[in-house]
Amino acid sequence: MTEFGGLRAIVTGGASGIGLATANLLAERGCAVASLDLDTGVKEPLLGIGCDVTDDASVRAGVDAAAGALGGLDIVVNNAGIGAQGTVEDNDDEEWARVFDVNVYGMVRVTRAALPYLRRSRHAAIVNTCSIVATAGVPQRALYSATKGAVLSLTLAMAADHLAEGIRVTCVNPGTADTPWIGRLLARADDPAAERAALEARQPTGRLVSADEVAAAIAYLASPLASATTGTALAVDGGMQGLRLRRP
Ligand code: NAD
């Protein structure tokens, strides 16, 4: 039996970047995986289910469809998210509501819909994609950081609530990861090469994190091998949170 043999997972935002890398890695390790995303264009063996995490009916239908097709659910990777730039002055109420709706309420909706299935699993795990910005202040990310701070707190609260039901809840805190999202961000910069160099220099490793490196951390947390790990955040950030290096 492989590590994830017989287990069934949903990955939100599973059609791109970190979510796609995670879905593929779990599938490689023997898990049956459905991606719940606005974009349904994933390749087999992944099952692509159209789902908008801002719409409760869409989420319930998507989670039920995934559980029906896979024969149940053991693992939820709450990963769908969107970005926002600027200081606290730069986004209006509508934008604050829009980003919280995807990044925080989306996780709430998906988890709510999945819990009845997870309660029937013998290896239930929820892994949330949080961010370095939940634990470190970076400039021009006030709204985005606020959503990820909420994800960190929500992870801890859910871990406490569902411990007795045998459901582990954890999160990963990636640094800047080389995904299509960052590609779009760089494309909008005045000088994309300089912007990329600045993002790389911000991480002690001097490079961006890869989607595969984040996926490996999510897979560890989701694995039955991590059965003693709950209510914790795993940094995958090239040392950005923990290290204070001397300048060369
Ligand atoms: P990405 O843009 O490559 O992928 C995000 C996916 O989420 C897309 O497939 C998109 O269609 C989907 N999505 C967006 N809104 C949705 C909605 N309403 N319903 C369903 N699906 C939706 O982004 P990524 O870089 O892989 O980011 C994934 C997660 O990682 C996000 O939660 C992000 O906040 C987090 N993160 C990213 C980085 C980074 O540097 N890339 C760093 C830290 C954390």
Side-chain angles (χ1 to χ4, degrees), residues 12-20 35-39 49-55 58-59 78-83 101-103 106-107 128-133 144 147-148 151 172-184 202-203 208-209 211 214 218 236:
T12 70
S16 175
I18 292 168
L20 179 60
S35 159
L36 268 59
D37 198 307
L38 298 171
D39 176 355
I49 295 177
C51 173
D52 180 352
V53 300
T54 67
D55 176 346
S58 169
V59 167
N78 276 313
N79 167 79
I82 58 173
D101 203 12
V102 179
N103 292 6
M107 287 192 185
N128 300 326
T129 307
C130 188
S131 170
I132 174 77
V133 301
Y144 179 66
T147 68
K148 294 300 183 179
V151 167
V172 285
N173 289 1
T176 306
D178 206 351
T179 68
W181 165 330
I182 293 301
R184 292 190 296 272
R202 198 167 66 176
Q203 292 178 171
L208 301 188
V209 175
V214 183
I218 294 174
V236 190

Side-chain angles (χ1 to χ4, degrees), residues 8-10 63 66-67 70-76 113-114 117-121 124:
R8 298 126 325 162
I10 55 174
V63 170
L70 306 180
L73 281 183
D74 306 282
I75 294 162
V76 172
Y117 297 105
L118 295 181
R119 288 190 181 107
R120 282 177 235 146
S121 165

Side-chain angles (χ1 to χ4, degrees), residues 28-112:
E28 270 170 34
R29 294 190 186 172
C31 197
V33 186
S35 159
L36 268 59
D37 198 307
L38 298 171
D39 176 355
T40 55
V42 291
K43 296 198 187 92
E44 285 188 8
L46 304 182
L47 173 66
I49 295 177
C51 173
D52 180 352
V53 300
T54 67
D55 176 346
D56 194 52
S58 169
V59 167
R60 287 186 183 280
V63 170
D64 288 346
L70 306 180
L73 281 183
D74 306 282
I75 294 162
V76 172
V77 180
N78 276 313
N79 167 79
I82 58 173
Q85 287 176 265
T87 72
V88 76
E89 287 184 302
D90 293 330
N91 292 290
D92 61 17
D93 286 1
E94 206 178 320
E95 185 65 358
W96 275 78
R98 188 178 80 87
V99 182
F100 263 84
D101 203 12
V102 179
N103 292 6
V104 184
Y105 307 157
M107 287 192 185
V108 173
R109 293 184 187 100
V110 171
T111 305
R112 227 164 31 194

